[in-house]
Amino acid sequence: MPNPTTPPTDLHRHDGDGWVTCGDHRHWGLFGAAGLLLVRRDDAGAPAAMVLQHRALWSHMGGTWGIPGGALAPNEKPEDGALREATEEAAIDPAAVHVVGTHVLEHPAWTYTTVVADVAAGHRVEPRAADPESLEVRWVGLDEIGTLTLLPAFGHALPRLLSLLG
């Protein structure tokens, strides 16, 4: 049986994987990182649910909830990286994603780009944990978010991210 606190050996890997030191802490992604905040709207057009990932215990801040995402590969654009990570981690087809904006968190030595998106018209998204980086990936209603332990940076940014959805 796999050890829940040790990363498996069969993870997706590329040259952007690694830690960047930023003052007294560190961030994952030698070239920065990106993630996808995918939202499903209700019949009135208001955001109703988002795809969230329950992070594997062995990962940085494991056991918290956030969005699918990770390190950017060399020369990879943040939008491309976020869509790649969402495919790898949550089985989300990039064709089912309609990007509406981005939010960039900038540190002196590192950036994280959140790609904010809706489910594209005519598409249905059924997210699932597609690799060992997740305990679970699912739609989470906006009214349920307060009951989850969020990745701290994601929880802090969430009001601003939701404002990008109009």
Side-chain angles (χ1 to χ4, degrees):
M1 177 169 199
N3 181 338
T5 60
T6 303
T9 57
D10 60 342
L11 294 173
H12 310 280
R13 292 289 181 211
H14 57 72
D15 290 342
D17 289 343
W19 293 100
V20 172
T21 300
C22 185
D24 64 350
H25 57 282
R26 60 189 189 152
H27 302 285
W28 184 252
L30 299 176
F31 306 102
L36 178 69
L37 175 62
L38 183 62
V39 172
R40 181 173 64 197
R41 295 181 182 266
D42 63 19
D43 292 338
M50 63 181 67
V51 173
L52 290 184
Q53 171 194 44
H54 194 190
R55 300 164 60 84
L57 298 178
W58 54 262
S59 68
H60 183 58
M61 297 191 177
T64 61
W65 289 82
I67 57 175
L72 294 173
N75 301 311
E76 185 174 41
K77 294 178 183 171
E79 184 176 313
D80 295 336
L83 292 172
R84 175 185 50 75
E85 289 283 341
T87 300
E88 292 172 0
E89 297 177 359
I92 295 172
D93 178 1
V97 175
H98 175 293
V99 174
V100 296
T102 60
H103 177 268
V104 180
L105 173 66
E106 292 190 54
H107 286 239
W110 183 82
T111 60
Y112 186 92
T113 302
T114 303
V115 176
V116 180
D118 287 320
V119 175
H123 289 269
R124 182 182 171 122
V125 173
E126 295 186 28
R128 63 177 173 79
D131 72 9
E133 295 185 51
S134 308
L135 297 171
E136 179 182 12
V137 176
R138 66 179 172 92
W139 286 107
V140 174
L142 295 187
D143 58 345
E144 181 187 356
I145 290 173
T147 67
L148 303 176
T149 302
L150 299 179
L151 182 74
F154 173 65
H156 180 74
L158 190 55
R160 171 71 179 116
L161 296 172
L162 290 173
S163 74
L164 294 174
L165 292 163

